[in-house]
Amino acid sequence: MAGTNGFSVSGYGPQRGGLWAQLSSRDSMVRRLDWPLLFAALALSGIGSLLVWSATRNRTELNQGDPYYFLFRHVLNTGIGVALMIGTIWLGHRLLRGAVPVLYGISVALILLVLTPLGATINGAHAWLVIGGGFTVQPSEFVKITIILGMAMLLAARVDAGDMAHPDHRTVAKSLVLAVVPMLIIMRMPDLGSVMVMVVIVLGVLLASGAPNRWILGLIGGGVGGAVLVAALGLLDEYQINRFAAFANPELDPAGVGYNTNQARIAIGSGGLMGTGLFKGSQTTGQFVPEQQTDFVFTVAGEELGFVGAALILALLGVVLWRACRIARETTELYGTIVAAGIIAWFAFQSFENIGMTLGIMPVAGLPLPFVSYGGSSMFAVWVAIGLLQSIRVQRPITA
């Protein structure tokens, strides 16, 4: 039986009439959106636009002589990301559940293409596809989404159907195989940062699914053992080894492998409480911090906006994670809970890693700050994730 709001009482998606019918109802789709989540994500992207602009307006070797080049593209990427969010809400996470095999196959095919001559190396990682006109795509960003959806589909299928209370061992094993296949391909690129995020996503998904504890402990142990084995066999590239060496000893080579981290800490430390003012940071204006519009964008906030501006970014990220946790807690289907948990693990770890590497408490891993850093692939992926969270909230069952 369907309620007057255009949703079925069982919570399994909108009835006929589509989006406009839902918008005209008393309990409309718009009213069911998580507005604090949306506003926090928009605010982060807005702040990111200013930081990217400040970091690139004087970089003539990058902006092709146009000080607004990166600002325009960052705003455009945000607009496309918001459009993707709307499309994801419109389709719904349940409809996408049925399309997971296709989406998974496409994402694996794209990362395999990276290993062909179509792939490009940027900052040491052969993780990009050149699609013409100077545009590049990083498929590993979208693999994060398909891993979350694929594992959720497998782990929740029999539980949501009422056949069992928790995923059994066979189901967990299948879900891990689904995640490991693209991770092994991405390791081959190598893109260690993305693999680190995916490992955390897998842990978050398994914890939310109610999988047996032995799988969680086994995965943690296997991850530690795998890391030791990779290092022992010399499977890491030299630039990756140098990054970990610089993390372990920042003074090892301050003009070489430790340069990024040292300059980042100087930039953040010079900001003080209120910062030097937007566009007035000496480290940023002097271009002392590499990749400041992408991986090290937080240093612009620390220097020019100070502790207050940096704390605002942390607070907005906290709002995103808080609302995502609330969505995960309120949904009555395991599938939605797992999807939300995977996104929470993704956003939380990637934010911690990105900010941590600028402070010298985490190794440099080449990960963007969600919503803030410049980069189309990352921006599109995080906004699709917001769309999934909103869909879970919008399509939650109606109990009255």
Side-chain angles (χ1 to χ4, degrees):
M1 182 177 68
T4 58
N5 57 358
F7 288 81
S8 63
V9 173
S10 62
Y12 279 84
Q15 301 301 301
R16 259 184 211 179
L19 179 62
W20 295 111
Q22 296 168 35
L23 292 178
S24 62
S25 64
R26 180 177 60 84
D27 186 18
S28 68
M29 178 178 179
V30 170
R31 293 178 61 183
R32 293 169 67 87
L33 291 174
D34 192 311
W35 288 101
L37 172 65
L38 180 58
F39 286 143
L42 285 171
L44 285 167
S45 292
I47 293 172
S49 297
L50 294 175
L51 300 180
V52 167
W53 186 19
S54 179
T56 59
R57 63 193 181 92
N58 294 324
R59 300 292 297 271
T60 55
E61 78 282 8
L62 296 177
N63 63 25
Q64 303 179 17
D66 180 3
Y68 300 98
Y69 178 80
F70 281 92
L71 172 63
F72 172 77
R73 291 167 73 95
H74 189 81
V75 172
L76 178 62
N77 288 338
T78 301
I80 295 173
V82 172
L84 290 172
M85 176 199 69
I86 294 172
T88 302
I89 298 172
W90 170 258
L91 291 173
H93 66 291
R94 293 196 182 96
L95 179 60
L96 291 174
R97 181 179 190 170
V100 165
V102 174
L103 296 175
Y104 180 80
I106 292 173
S107 65
V108 172
L110 287 175
I111 56 177
L112 285 172
L113 281 176
V114 172
L115 302 179
T116 72
L118 294 175
T121 301
I122 299 177
N123 296 330
H126 192 78
W128 304 79
L129 277 178
V130 180
I131 59 177
F135 292 98
T136 57
V137 175
Q138 189 175 12
S140 58
E141 291 293 335
F142 304 104
V143 172
K144 297 170 187 175
I145 297 172
T146 54
I147 284 178
I148 291 172
L149 292 175
M151 292 188 71
M153 178 191 70
L154 290 174
L155 292 168
R158 296 183 66 185
V159 177
D160 283 342
D163 295 339
M164 59 177 62
H166 303 287
D168 58 11
H169 294 291
R170 184 177 180 181
T171 302
V172 174
K174 287 181 179 179
S175 71
L176 287 177
V177 170
L178 179 144
V180 166
V181 169
M183 288 167 63
L184 290 175
I185 299 172
I186 293 170
M187 275 292 294
R188 179 68 179 81
M189 292 179 181
D191 184 0
L192 186 60
S194 293
V195 173
M196 289 168 58
V197 175
M198 292 172 191
V199 169
V200 174
I201 287 174
V202 170
L203 280 172
V205 163
L206 290 181
L207 285 170
S209 72
N213 289 334
R214 69 187 69 176
W215 282 101
I216 310 297
L217 297 175
L219 186 61
I220 294 173
V224 174
V228 173
L229 183 62
V230 166
L233 296 178
L235 298 180
L236 294 178
D237 281 4
E238 183 178 358
Y239 83 95
Q240 294 173 318
I241 297 174
N242 289 339
R243 285 178 173 180
F244 281 103
F247 167 67
N249 183 8
E251 304 304 323
L252 178 66
D253 186 9
V257 295
Y259 179 80
N260 290 18
T261 301
N262 286 329
Q263 292 300 320
R265 294 168 69 181
I266 291 171
I268 293 174
S270 65
L273 180 63
M274 302 301 295
T276 60
L278 194 64
F279 309 134
K280 297 180 181 179
S282 59
Q283 290 291 112
T284 300
T285 303
Q287 304 173 18
F288 290 104
V289 184
E291 306 300 330
Q292 207 168 12
Q293 76 276 17
T294 53
D295 300 344
F296 287 88
V297 71
F298 190 74
T299 62
V300 185
E303 180 180 27
E304 299 187 346
L305 304 181
F307 175 82
V308 173
L312 176 60
I313 291 176
L314 291 174
L316 290 170
L317 288 169
V319 171
V320 171
L321 295 174
W322 163 50
R323 302 306 296 184
C325 288
R326 182 169 180 175
I327 289 170
R329 186 177 66 249
E330 289 181 349
T331 184
T332 57
E333 56 175 1
L334 182 60
Y335 174 70
T337 298
I338 293 175
V339 171
I343 294 171
I344 293 165
W346 165 15
F347 285 3
F349 177 77
Q350 189 160 316
S351 299
F352 177 76
E353 165 61 30
N354 177 277
I355 295 172
M357 72 184 187
T358 66
L359 299 175
I361 62 173
M362 291 293 286
V364 176
L367 291 172
L369 184 59
F371 304 101
V372 181
S373 293
Y374 176 79
S377 299
S378 172
M379 186 67 77
F380 302 159
V382 295
W383 276 106
V384 168
I386 293 295
L388 289 169
L389 290 172
Q390 295 285 13
S391 172
I392 295 168
R393 177 176 169 84
V394 166
Q395 296 189 30
R396 68 190 188 278
I398 306 304
T399 57

XYZ file of all heavy atoms in Angstrom, residues 210-291:
584
model
N 27.724 -6.787 10.243
C 27.577 -7.808 11.272
C 28.330 -9.082 10.947
O 28.010 -10.159 11.480
N 29.329 -8.999 10.079
C 30.135 -10.163 9.715
C 30.845 -10.704 10.949
O 31.154 -9.955 11.882
C 31.155 -9.780 8.644
N 31.120 -12.002 10.980
C 31.822 -12.588 12.134
C 33.133 -11.866 12.434
O 33.863 -11.463 11.526
C 32.075 -14.039 11.693
C 30.981 -14.321 10.703
C 30.746 -13.021 9.981
N 33.429 -11.722 13.715
C 34.613 -10.967 14.133
C 35.911 -11.548 13.592
O 36.892 -10.825 13.389
C 34.684 -10.903 15.662
C 33.615 -10.008 16.246
O 33.132 -9.093 15.585
N 33.223 -10.281 17.486
N 35.916 -12.858 13.362
C 37.156 -13.469 12.884
C 37.556 -12.921 11.514
O 38.743 -12.853 11.189
C 37.002 -14.993 12.822
C 36.047 -15.511 11.752
C 35.828 -17.001 11.874
N 35.079 -17.327 13.076
C 34.680 -18.576 13.381
N 34.999 -19.579 12.591
N 33.997 -18.798 14.473
N 36.561 -12.501 10.732
C 36.868 -11.904 9.435
C 37.507 -10.528 9.615
O 38.441 -10.161 8.896
C 35.599 -11.776 8.590
C 35.160 -13.060 7.969
C 34.165 -13.890 8.393
C 35.721 -13.686 6.814
N 34.060 -14.990 7.581
C 35.004 -14.885 6.594
C 36.753 -13.350 5.941
C 35.296 -15.737 5.533
C 37.039 -14.203 4.883
C 36.320 -15.374 4.676
N 37.008 -9.762 10.559
C 37.573 -8.437 10.821
C 39.015 -8.564 11.298
O 39.923 -7.895 10.784
C 36.740 -7.682 11.880
C 35.236 -7.707 11.537
C 37.258 -6.269 12.041
C 34.895 -7.010 10.264
N 39.228 -9.430 12.283
C 40.578 -9.631 12.814
C 41.506 -10.211 11.755
O 42.669 -9.809 11.644
C 40.522 -10.565 14.028
C 39.725 -10.041 15.235
C 39.634 -11.107 16.325
C 40.368 -8.772 15.785
N 40.978 -11.140 10.957
C 41.783 -11.737 9.900
C 42.183 -10.718 8.846
O 43.310 -10.742 8.336
N 41.256 -9.816 8.519
C 41.548 -8.793 7.516
C 42.611 -7.822 8.032
O 43.520 -7.433 7.287
C 40.272 -8.033 7.161
C 40.390 -7.021 6.016
C 40.807 -7.714 4.728
C 39.060 -6.302 5.810
N 42.496 -7.439 9.306
C 43.500 -6.541 9.885
C 44.872 -7.214 9.898
O 45.884 -6.626 9.489
C 43.088 -6.120 11.302
C 41.817 -5.269 11.254
C 44.221 -5.342 11.976
C 41.248 -4.941 12.620
N 44.891 -8.458 10.347
C 46.155 -9.194 10.362
C 46.721 -9.400 8.971
O 47.930 -9.257 8.742
N 45.837 -9.721 8.032
C 46.277 -9.907 6.654
C 46.816 -8.622 6.053
O 47.770 -8.637 5.273
N 46.181 -7.493 6.411
C 46.646 -6.208 5.895
C 48.039 -5.873 6.388
O 48.898 -5.434 5.623
N 48.275 -6.111 7.685
C 49.599 -5.853 8.246
C 50.635 -6.785 7.622
O 51.727 -6.359 7.205
C 49.580 -6.035 9.782
C 50.993 -5.922 10.347
C 48.661 -4.995 10.412
N 50.273 -8.067 7.520
C 51.194 -9.025 6.911
C 51.466 -8.716 5.453
O 52.601 -8.829 4.976
N 50.418 -8.300 4.740
C 50.586 -7.953 3.334
C 51.500 -6.765 3.143
O 52.319 -6.726 2.223
N 51.354 -5.765 4.027
C 52.212 -4.575 3.939
C 53.671 -4.945 4.156
O 54.568 -4.464 3.453
C 51.760 -3.543 4.968
N 53.917 -5.819 5.146
C 55.285 -6.262 5.413
C 55.834 -7.038 4.214
O 56.984 -6.858 3.799
C 55.332 -7.131 6.684
C 56.720 -7.740 6.867
C 54.943 -6.299 7.899
N 54.988 -7.895 3.633
C 55.418 -8.706 2.489
C 55.736 -7.837 1.282
O 56.734 -8.050 0.585
C 54.326 -9.718 2.142
C 54.652 -10.704 1.005
C 55.850 -11.573 1.401
C 53.438 -11.575 0.684
N 54.871 -6.849 1.024
C 55.102 -5.943 -0.108
C 56.432 -5.215 0.049
O 57.210 -5.082 -0.902
C 53.940 -4.932 -0.224
C 54.308 -3.782 -1.161
C 52.688 -5.622 -0.749
N 56.704 -4.742 1.259
C 57.956 -4.041 1.507
C 59.152 -4.983 1.377
O 60.186 -4.624 0.798
C 57.931 -3.404 2.900
N 59.004 -6.222 1.899
C 60.106 -7.181 1.866
C 60.443 -7.615 0.443
O 61.614 -7.842 0.112
C 59.760 -8.403 2.717
N 59.423 -7.711 -0.405
C 59.634 -8.149 -1.787
C 60.010 -7.007 -2.721
O 60.224 -7.222 -3.913
C 58.367 -8.845 -2.306
C 57.970 -10.143 -1.598
C 56.674 -10.697 -2.174
C 59.095 -11.179 -1.734
N 60.054 -5.795 -2.176
C 60.435 -4.651 -2.995
C 59.417 -4.291 -4.054
O 59.790 -3.854 -5.157
N 58.134 -4.456 -3.735
C 57.090 -4.184 -4.713
C 56.689 -2.711 -4.768
O 55.927 -2.316 -5.645
C 55.848 -5.043 -4.396
C 56.062 -6.560 -4.450
C 54.771 -7.293 -4.108
C 56.566 -6.988 -5.825
N 57.187 -1.919 -3.822
C 56.885 -0.495 -3.824
C 57.847 0.255 -4.739
O 59.032 -0.095 -4.838
C 56.989 0.081 -2.406
C 55.968 -0.418 -1.374
C 56.251 0.209 -0.020
C 54.553 -0.094 -1.810
N 57.328 1.277 -5.400
C 58.192 2.130 -6.214
C 59.064 2.994 -5.314
O 58.765 3.218 -4.139
C 57.345 3.020 -7.124
C 56.849 2.256 -8.343
O 57.115 1.038 -8.419
O 56.200 2.871 -9.209
N 60.140 3.522 -5.879
C 61.093 4.298 -5.088
C 60.453 5.528 -4.458
O 60.729 5.864 -3.305
C 62.257 4.733 -5.970
C 63.349 5.482 -5.213
C 64.519 5.863 -6.087
O 64.500 5.518 -7.284
O 65.454 6.519 -5.564
N 59.551 6.200 -5.220
C 58.942 7.411 -4.668
C 58.048 7.081 -3.475
O 57.918 7.889 -2.540
C 58.150 8.156 -5.756
C 56.753 7.651 -6.009
C 55.660 8.244 -5.382
C 56.513 6.587 -6.877
C 54.364 7.799 -5.608
C 55.236 6.141 -7.112
C 54.157 6.741 -6.483
O 52.882 6.297 -6.709
N 57.427 5.886 -3.459
C 56.596 5.485 -2.326
C 57.460 5.185 -1.103
O 57.115 5.572 0.021
C 55.757 4.267 -2.708
C 54.724 4.556 -3.781
C 54.024 3.297 -4.263
O 54.661 2.260 -4.454
N 52.722 3.384 -4.463
N 58.587 4.513 -1.329
C 59.511 4.228 -0.228
C 60.038 5.535 0.365
O 60.136 5.695 1.587
C 60.674 3.348 -0.725
C 60.138 1.984 -1.197
C 61.720 3.168 0.368
C 61.196 1.111 -1.845
N 60.352 6.483 -0.509
C 60.856 7.776 -0.041
C 59.827 8.510 0.809
O 60.170 9.178 1.785
C 61.260 8.642 -1.232
C 62.509 8.142 -1.925
O 63.302 7.395 -1.337
N 62.698 8.517 -3.177
N 58.549 8.409 0.428
C 57.505 9.078 1.201
C 57.417 8.514 2.609
O 57.274 9.261 3.590
C 56.153 8.931 0.488
C 55.995 9.831 -0.733
C 54.667 9.597 -1.411
N 54.433 10.564 -2.478
C 53.339 10.577 -3.242
N 52.379 9.681 -3.043
N 53.199 11.492 -4.187
N 57.497 7.193 2.740
C 57.435 6.593 4.072
C 58.701 6.914 4.871
O 58.640 7.111 6.084
C 57.246 5.078 3.955
C 55.838 4.671 3.653
C 55.461 4.277 2.384
C 54.859 4.700 4.636
C 54.157 3.916 2.100
C 53.547 4.337 4.372
C 53.200 3.951 3.095
N 59.830 6.973 4.186
C 61.078 7.330 4.870
C 61.012 8.751 5.400
O 61.454 9.033 6.528
C 62.261 7.161 3.916
N 60.448 9.655 4.594
C 60.314 11.045 5.022
C 59.340 11.173 6.184
O 59.513 12.016 7.061
C 59.849 11.908 3.855
N 58.304 10.339 6.190
C 57.354 10.361 7.306
C 58.025 9.886 8.588
O 57.835 10.475 9.660
C 56.154 9.472 6.968
C 55.277 9.165 8.149
C 54.546 10.168 8.761
C 55.191 7.870 8.643
C 53.729 9.890 9.852
C 54.385 7.585 9.731
C 53.646 8.599 10.338
N 58.821 8.817 8.477
C 59.490 8.273 9.658
C 60.552 9.229 10.185
O 60.776 9.317 11.399
C 60.111 6.919 9.326
N 61.188 9.981 9.285
C 62.247 10.910 9.693
C 62.166 12.161 8.828
O 62.808 12.237 7.775
C 63.617 10.253 9.554
C 64.748 11.163 10.032
O 64.496 12.224 10.611
N 65.987 10.748 9.800
N 61.384 13.170 9.241
C 61.198 14.379 8.433
C 62.487 15.125 8.130
O 62.549 15.871 7.156
C 60.253 15.232 9.302
C 59.575 14.271 10.203
C 60.581 13.205 10.463
N 63.508 14.943 8.967
C 64.776 15.644 8.761
C 65.735 14.853 7.882
O 66.878 15.272 7.664
C 65.436 15.920 10.117
C 64.562 16.706 11.085
C 64.105 18.034 10.501
O 64.901 18.667 9.784
O 62.951 18.431 10.746
N 65.285 13.706 7.378
C 66.155 12.843 6.583
C 66.693 13.566 5.352
O 67.883 13.531 5.046
C 65.399 11.577 6.174
C 66.158 10.584 5.287
C 67.326 9.999 6.058
C 65.213 9.476 4.811
N 65.816 14.254 4.630
C 66.195 14.958 3.410
C 65.239 16.134 3.224
O 64.358 16.107 2.375
C 66.135 14.010 2.208
C 66.654 14.648 0.926
O 67.214 15.758 1.009
O 66.510 14.033 -0.147
N 65.395 17.191 4.029
C 64.434 18.293 4.015
C 64.338 19.012 2.682
O 63.328 19.655 2.398
C 64.961 19.229 5.117
C 66.406 18.871 5.270
C 66.493 17.401 4.990
N 65.375 18.919 1.851
C 65.336 19.573 0.539
C 64.899 18.607 -0.559
O 64.743 19.008 -1.707
C 66.706 20.153 0.200
N 64.696 17.333 -0.184
C 64.317 16.324 -1.170
C 62.989 15.680 -0.829
O 61.940 16.309 -0.935
N 63.032 14.434 -0.337
C 61.795 13.688 -0.094
C 60.968 14.296 1.036
O 59.756 14.112 1.095
C 62.105 12.206 0.220
C 62.715 11.525 -0.986
C 63.015 12.081 1.434
N 61.617 15.010 1.960
C 60.876 15.621 3.062
C 60.419 17.031 2.786
O 59.813 17.674 3.660
N 60.668 17.525 1.574
C 60.385 18.920 1.265
C 58.896 19.249 1.381
O 58.515 20.255 1.987
C 60.877 19.244 -0.157
C 60.605 20.660 -0.595
C 61.420 21.703 -0.194
C 59.500 20.958 -1.409
C 61.171 23.007 -0.586
C 59.237 22.253 -1.802
C 60.075 23.271 -1.392
O 59.814 24.556 -1.771
N 58.042 18.411 0.778
C 56.601 18.686 0.791
C 56.068 18.857 2.200
O 55.374 19.837 2.510
C 55.840 17.553 0.083
C 56.082 17.539 -1.414
O 57.045 18.124 -1.902
N 55.212 16.869 -2.141
N 56.379 17.879 3.054
C 55.854 17.906 4.415
C 56.397 19.088 5.205
O 55.655 19.757 5.936
C 56.183 16.589 5.135
O 55.615 15.497 4.413
C 55.633 16.590 6.541
N 57.681 19.353 5.061
C 58.278 20.470 5.802
C 57.674 21.805 5.381
O 57.344 22.652 6.222
C 59.802 20.493 5.579
C 60.520 19.401 6.342
O 60.083 19.003 7.411
N 61.621 18.903 5.799
N 57.505 22.014 4.089
C 56.919 23.262 3.610
C 55.456 23.378 4.025
O 54.956 24.468 4.329
C 57.053 23.361 2.088
C 58.473 23.533 1.595
C 59.138 24.788 2.137
O 58.527 25.839 2.234
N 60.402 24.671 2.518
N 54.746 22.255 4.046
C 53.345 22.263 4.463
C 53.223 22.690 5.917
O 52.358 23.505 6.278
C 52.728 20.874 4.258
N 54.103 22.173 6.763
C 54.056 22.523 8.183
C 54.436 23.984 8.404
O 53.867 24.657 9.266
C 54.977 21.593 8.963
C 54.492 20.146 8.950
C 55.529 19.179 9.470
N 55.755 19.344 10.900
C 56.639 18.628 11.587
N 57.378 17.717 10.966
N 56.796 18.825 12.882
N 55.361 24.476 7.629
C 55.732 25.889 7.739
C 54.546 26.775 7.359
O 54.242 27.771 8.037
C 56.945 26.202 6.836
C 58.200 25.524 7.378
C 57.163 27.704 6.727
C 59.389 25.600 6.445
N 53.863 26.404 6.264
C 52.720 27.198 5.799
C 51.613 27.230 6.841
O 51.078 28.299 7.177
C 52.193 26.633 4.481
N 51.272 26.060 7.390
C 50.199 25.998 8.379
C 50.600 26.736 9.656
O 49.808 27.481 10.244
C 49.837 24.533 8.680
C 49.211 23.886 7.440
C 48.885 24.438 9.867
C 48.944 22.400 7.587
N 51.848 26.551 10.076
C 52.306 27.187 11.304
C 52.361 28.702 11.218
O 52.178 29.398 12.226
N 52.572 29.235 10.014
C 52.679 30.680 9.867
C 51.328 31.378 9.906
O 51.272 32.606 10.012
C 53.382 31.025 8.545
O 52.599 30.614 7.433
N 50.246 30.608 9.843
C 48.909 31.209 9.809
C 48.431 31.724 11.153
O 47.604 32.640 11.215
N 48.916 31.140 12.229
C 48.479 31.570 13.552
C 46.990 31.348 13.769
O 46.391 30.426 13.221
N 46.383 32.205 14.564
C 44.978 32.050 14.919
C 44.039 32.464 13.787
O 43.119 31.727 13.429
C 44.652 32.868 16.169
C 43.196 32.804 16.653
C 42.829 31.383 17.054
C 42.984 33.765 17.822
N 44.267 33.622 13.211
C 43.348 34.180 12.220
C 43.863 34.109 10.787
O 43.133 34.423 9.848
C 43.026 35.641 12.562
C 42.410 35.841 13.935
S 40.862 34.922 14.160
C 39.819 35.746 12.946
N 45.115 33.728 10.593
C 45.660 33.621 9.254
C 46.209 34.939 8.728
O 45.991 36.008 9.307
N 46.886 34.856 7.624
C 47.472 36.044 7.005
C 46.475 36.789 6.125
O 46.753 37.908 5.701
C 48.684 35.645 6.141
O 48.253 34.732 5.117
C 49.763 34.971 6.980
N 45.341 36.161 5.835
C 44.349 36.756 4.951
C 44.356 36.064 3.597
O 45.419 35.677 3.098
N 43.192 35.905 3.006
C 43.080 35.244 1.716
C 43.912 35.967 0.672
O 43.863 37.206 0.572
C 41.608 35.191 1.285
C 41.259 34.248 0.124
C 41.537 32.806 0.515
C 39.790 34.407 -0.276
N 44.681 35.208 -0.094
C 45.581 35.711 -1.149
C 46.828 36.392 -0.586
O 47.594 36.964 -1.346
C 44.874 36.683 -2.097
C 43.589 36.187 -2.661
C 42.466 36.998 -2.694
C 43.484 34.894 -3.170
C 41.268 36.533 -3.217
C 42.289 34.418 -3.697
C 41.172 35.245 -3.714
N 47.057 36.340 0.729
C 48.175 37.067 1.333
C 49.194 36.136 2.000
O 50.068 36.605 2.729
C 47.656 38.070 2.356
C 46.777 39.164 1.750
C 46.286 40.131 2.810
C 45.384 41.206 2.209
N 44.868 42.144 3.241
N 49.075 34.841 1.774
C 50.019 33.916 2.384
C 51.340 33.901 1.631
O 51.374 33.684 0.418
N 52.437 34.115 2.335
C 53.748 34.164 1.676
C 54.152 32.801 1.122
O 54.750 32.713 0.041
C 54.807 34.672 2.659
O 54.883 33.829 3.808
N 53.853 31.734 1.834
C 54.178 30.394 1.346
C 53.362 30.053 0.104
O 53.873 29.462 -0.843
C 53.919 29.357 2.444
C 54.866 29.405 3.616
C 56.269 28.972 3.235
O 57.187 29.783 3.223
N 56.421 27.709 2.918
N 52.089 30.433 0.127
C 51.217 30.149 -1.016
C 51.566 31.032 -2.207
O 51.712 30.545 -3.333
C 49.746 30.367 -0.620
O 49.414 29.476 0.462
C 48.821 30.096 -1.794
N 51.701 32.316 -1.959
C 52.052 33.241 -3.045
C 53.421 32.924 -3.617
O 53.637 33.017 -4.833
C 52.029 34.697 -2.539
O 50.733 34.980 -1.998
C 52.322 35.670 -3.669
N 54.345 32.523 -2.753
C 55.695 32.183 -3.197
C 55.812 30.807 -3.817
O 56.894 30.422 -4.269
N 54.725 30.037 -3.800
C 54.669 28.725 -4.454
C 55.688 27.759 -3.849
O 56.331 26.988 -4.549
C 54.896 28.866 -5.961
C 53.922 29.823 -6.633
C 54.258 30.093 -8.092
O 55.009 29.350 -8.715
N 53.702 31.161 -8.648
N 55.826 27.809 -2.521
C 56.782 26.936 -1.853
C 56.220 25.530 -1.612
O 56.985 24.577 -1.464
C 57.209 27.550 -0.510
C 58.061 28.772 -0.652
C 57.539 30.039 -0.440
C 59.396 28.654 -1.001
C 58.328 31.168 -0.566
C 60.201 29.784 -1.130
C 59.654 31.047 -0.923
N 54.904 25.404 -1.546
C 54.284 24.106 -1.264
C 53.809 23.484 -2.571
O 52.952 24.042 -3.249
C 53.087 24.250 -0.300
C 52.531 22.875 0.049
C 53.500 25.000 0.959
N 54.331 22.311 -2.953
C 53.904 21.671 -4.198
C 52.471 21.149 -4.099
O 51.965 20.852 -3.011
C 54.898 20.506 -4.351
C 56.022 20.820 -3.425
C 55.418 21.599 -2.297
N 51.829 21.022 -5.247
C 50.478 20.437 -5.355
C 49.516 21.073 -4.359
O 48.696 20.395 -3.738
C 50.536 18.916 -5.135
C 51.507 18.192 -6.036
C 51.198 18.365 -7.517
O 50.005 18.525 -7.846
O 52.130 18.344 -8.332
